[in-house]
């Protein structure tokens, strides 16, 4: 079992829909991350939140909008997505916002855009 | 720009064999390197985070080594089991020390 919980596990949405992905951790970690992973490829970083503030945005299109309501929760709001955005979206957390802390991943949300 | 590669891309071994997975990185000015395991359709599980000062880190049947001077890390799996079948990814810090750059992974199959 993972200590980072992501919901939903699967999501199918049309290009005009608005949906949100949710991530929760109760390990007291202060850094949270969104990654995107295409089939048979490594994860690619999208966003990093450190102490509830956005610290890294890897030039992600504005149709992806992250939100960190508190230190335990991370959301990814989706709007007007394209079929090529279909992927596994992974949330991760770490104790500190440095690369000296191990990353803990959730099991991801499998997103399909039709 | 940090680039991470892994060989082999895929590996199939009979149960009980010892095996080595290789990871190479281009920027050797790193503090540490992390190894992960990913089962199909699942997230990544952290296996080992090895600091540059440690050179080696062990967890059960897993042993990871780090040689910064040669830009290499190896993950040694002893007495492999079918449950070890998964994709193994290594990740090294980027040039700014802000993020991990992942390798493409080695897909391991351990046959009973």
């Amino acid at each position: 079992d993972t200590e980072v919980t992501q919901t939903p596990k699967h999501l199918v949405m049309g290009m005009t829909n608005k949906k949100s992905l949710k991530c929760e951790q109760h390990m007291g970690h202060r850094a949270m991350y969104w990654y995107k992973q295409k089939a048979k490829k490594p994860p690619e970083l999208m966003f990093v939140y450190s102490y509830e503030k956005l610290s890294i945005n890897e030039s992600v299109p504005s149709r992806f909008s992250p939100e960190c309501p508190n230190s335990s929760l991370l959301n990814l709001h989706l709007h007007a997505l394209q079929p090529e955005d279909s992927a596994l979206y992974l949330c991760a957390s770490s104790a500190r916002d440095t690369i000296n802390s191990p990353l803990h991943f959730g099991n991801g949300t499998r997103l399909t855009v039709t | 720009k940090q680039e991470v590669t892994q060989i082999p891309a895929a590996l199939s071994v009979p149960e009980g064999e010892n095996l080595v997975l290789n990871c190479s990185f281009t920027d050797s000015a790193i503090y540490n390197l992390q190894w992960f395991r990913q089962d199909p359709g699942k997230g990544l599980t952290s296996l080992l985070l090895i600091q540059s000062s440690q050179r080696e880190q062990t967890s059960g049947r897993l042993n990871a080594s780090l040689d910064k001077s040669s830009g290499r890390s190896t993950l040694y799996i002893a007495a492999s089991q079918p449950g070890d079948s998964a994709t193994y990814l290594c990740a090294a810090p980027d040039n700014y020390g802000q993020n991990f750059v992942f390798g493409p992974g080695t897909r391991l199959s351990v046959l009973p």
Side-chain angles (χ1 to χ4, degrees):
Chain A
D1 287 341
T2 178
E3 296 170 317
V4 177
T5 304
Q6 290 187 244
T7 56
K9 292 183 180 180
H10 301 274
L11 178 63
V12 179
M13 60 185 291
M15 290 188 286
T16 59
N17 291 160
K18 285 185 180 181
K19 297 286 184 182
S20 296
L21 309 184
K22 297 186 183 301
C23 174
E24 188 170 4
Q25 58 87 15
H26 293 290
M27 294 179 283
H29 288 177
R30 304 316 302 266
M32 296 186 75
Y33 310 75
W34 281 115
Y35 285 84
K36 173 182 178 180
Q37 186 177 28
K38 302 284 276 187
K40 300 189 185 302
K41 297 290 187 182
E44 297 177 351
L45 182 67
M46 301 175 71
F47 302 104
V48 180
Y49 272 84
S50 174
Y51 291 84
E52 302 163 44
K53 294 189 187 306
L54 183 64
S55 60
I56 295 178
N57 176 342
E58 291 287 335
S59 303
V60 179
S62 60
R63 58 185 184 269
F64 296 92
S65 175
E67 178 195 20
C68 189
N70 59 57
S71 60
S72 300
L73 294 174
L74 186 66
N75 298 321
L76 186 62
H77 303 296
L78 314 172
H79 174 56
L81 294 193
Q82 304 296 311
E84 59 265 29
D85 296 322
S86 299
L88 181 67
Y89 287 83
L90 294 164
C91 174
S93 70
S94 64
R96 300 180 299 275
D97 63 338
T98 74
I99 48 104
N100 282 319
S101 301
L103 288 171
H104 297 258
F105 281 86
N107 279 327
T109 293
R110 175 73 61 189
L111 174 67
T112 302
V113 181
T114 61
Chain B
K1 178 185 173 185
Q2 178 73 278
E3 294 182 2
V4 181
T5 56
Q6 292 185 246
I7 54 171
L11 181 62
S12 184
V13 300
E15 182 176 4
E17 274 203 7
N18 302 324
L19 55 98
V20 175
L21 308 182
N22 296 291
C23 171
S24 297
F25 46 92
T26 54
D27 183 356
S28 61
I30 62 172
Y31 297 105
N32 55 42
L33 185 138
Q34 195 163 359
W35 282 93
F36 295 88
R37 164 189 175 137
Q38 186 172 29
D39 294 288
K42 300 288 189 181
L44 283 70
T45 300
S46 178
L47 298 174
L48 292 163
L49 185 147
I50 177 169
Q51 304 287 352
S52 59
S53 58
Q54 293 177 304
R55 298 182 65 85
E56 257 189 38
Q57 181 78 279
T58 298
S59 176
R61 294 182 293 107
L62 306 179
N63 176 274
S65 65
L66 176 62
D67 184 348
K68 287 177 56 177
S69 62
S70 66
R72 293 181 183 175
S73 176
T74 60
L75 180 67
Y76 175 83
I77 302 177
S80 59
Q81 303 171 358
D84 295 330
S85 298
T87 297
Y88 290 80
L89 299 98
C90 65
D94 65 12
N95 299 66
Y96 305 102
Q98 291 182 317
N99 177 37
F100 279 104
V101 177
F102 286 84
T106 293
R107 193 167 62 255
L108 173 66
S109 295
V110 181
L111 307 174

